Amino acid sequence: MNKNATRSGFTLIELLVVIAIISILAAILFPVFATAREKARQTTCASNLKQLGLAFIQYAQDYDEQFCGCYNNAAPVTNRSWDLDIQPYTGIKVASNSSMSLLEACPSDTVQRSANATTRTYSMPRPNGGGNGLAGVSTIVGGQTVFIGVLQSKIPAPSATLLLVERPETSNNMSGTACSNADRPMASGGAGAQDSNAAITGNPIHSGGWNYLMCDSHVKWLRPEQTLGTGTAANPLGLWTLSDTD
């Protein structure tokens, strides 16, 4: 036997060591990659909200400094939700059954809608079903509900008042009045989709928080409990209301 012969290949032990090292690296890196992907989706969502905020402000400038309400269900403009009101300012016209990419859809919103519905992730705040949020005050016109939008002059702290929140629900669809507003960030039972009848539960979709659009068009990531002020999850105050003292 030639003792000077060159050895080729790996031993079984060496292969197992290499496989073990690769497995350890994969276990370390895969969560990092997942976090990076979510951060990218969160950034896209924040960009969507920023552009929607600018559209809301442009709308208000054209309508005597008054924001649109969350929806109008009275003739002759029935079933008109806020996304339709600001549509001329977003530069994107879309039918309710379109599959095109929209500013109104967060890329992390994976809640399944019906086959003929287009995802709308965002909703206007209407704290605890009342009229002290940007969704506006409801009134009845011709037997139908209309939400009267808020004047900019009635918002004492635009940078600390919510304009849009995330609400990923099965019935939150483009051009629909359902889920055009949100009453609270979570139910006391732990639902996490910005309302008591949430379609998803558990933690919010952006690493334990949501993106929130303020009335001055800036976007901020917050945990839902940071938005409550002196209120509760079931009855939010703070950023949810027009008041800047709660």
Side-chain angles (χ1 to χ4, degrees), residues 28 59 129 213:
I28 294 172
Y59 175 97
L213 173 66

Side-chain angles (χ1 to χ4, degrees), residues 111-114 117-120 123 167-180 197 199:
V111 176
Q112 186 64 46
R113 270 65 169 183
S114 63
T118 302
T119 297
R120 180 184 66 203
S123 298
R167 186 178 180 181
E169 282 198 40
T170 55
S171 53
N172 193 4
N173 304 313
M174 281 291 293
S175 309
T177 57
C179 297
S180 63
N197 58 340

Side-chain angles (χ1 to χ4, degrees), residues 10-23:
F10 295 96
T11 66
L12 178 60
I13 296 299
E14 288 171 334
L15 286 173
L16 291 175
V17 169
V18 171
I19 292 172
I21 292 173
I22 292 174
S23 299

Side-chain angles (χ1 to χ4, degrees), residues 124-202:
M124 298 183 72
R126 186 172 177 243
N128 205 30
N132 196 27
L134 255 290
V137 178
S138 63
T139 186
I140 302 298
V141 177
Q144 299 295 327
T145 301
V146 177
F147 282 86
I148 307 300
V150 177
L151 288 168
Q152 289 180 306
S153 60
K154 300 295 185 181
I155 308 171
S159 64
T161 304
L162 296 177
L163 176 52
L164 286 178
V165 304
E166 294 185 79
R167 186 178 180 181
E169 282 198 40
T170 55
S171 53
N172 193 4
N173 304 313
M174 281 291 293
S175 309
T177 57
C179 297
S180 63
N181 56 56
D183 296 346
R184 55 187 66 84
M186 65 179 75
S188 57
Q194 309 280 187
D195 217 329
S196 59
N197 58 340
I200 59 172
T201 58

Side-chain angles (χ1 to χ4, degrees), residues 14 32 47 66 69-70 74 96 116 148 152 157 159 165 168 174 184 192 206 216 241 243:
E14 288 171 334
V32 174
S47 176
Q66 185 174 24
C70 60
S96 60
N116 294 320
I148 307 300
Q152 289 180 306
S159 64
V165 304
M174 281 291 293
R184 55 187 66 84
H206 296 310
D216 65 349
T241 70
S243 173

Side-chain angles (χ1 to χ4, degrees), residues 28-105:
I28 294 172
L29 293 176
F30 284 171
V32 174
F33 294 152
T35 300
R37 285 194 297 269
E38 171 49 37
K39 284 297 181 183
R41 291 191 289 264
Q42 179 181 328
T43 300
T44 299
C45 173
S47 176
N48 290 350
L49 282 169
K50 175 67 176 179
Q51 293 179 73
L52 291 173
L54 294 174
F56 268 96
I57 289 176
Q58 288 177 301
Y59 175 97
Q61 290 172 344
D62 284 346
Y63 287 88
D64 299 323
E65 298 188 345
Q66 185 174 24
F67 285 112
C68 60
C70 60
Y71 72 81
N72 179 354
N73 204 29
V77 190
T78 57
N79 297 318
R80 187 172 182 85
S81 48
W82 62 264
D83 50 296
L84 287 178
D85 281 336
I86 67 168
Q87 190 167 261
Y89 306 94
T90 63
I92 300 175
K93 186 175 182 179
V94 60
S96 60
N97 61 350
S98 170
S99 60
M100 68 183 291
S101 178
L102 297 173
L103 292 176
E104 288 83 358

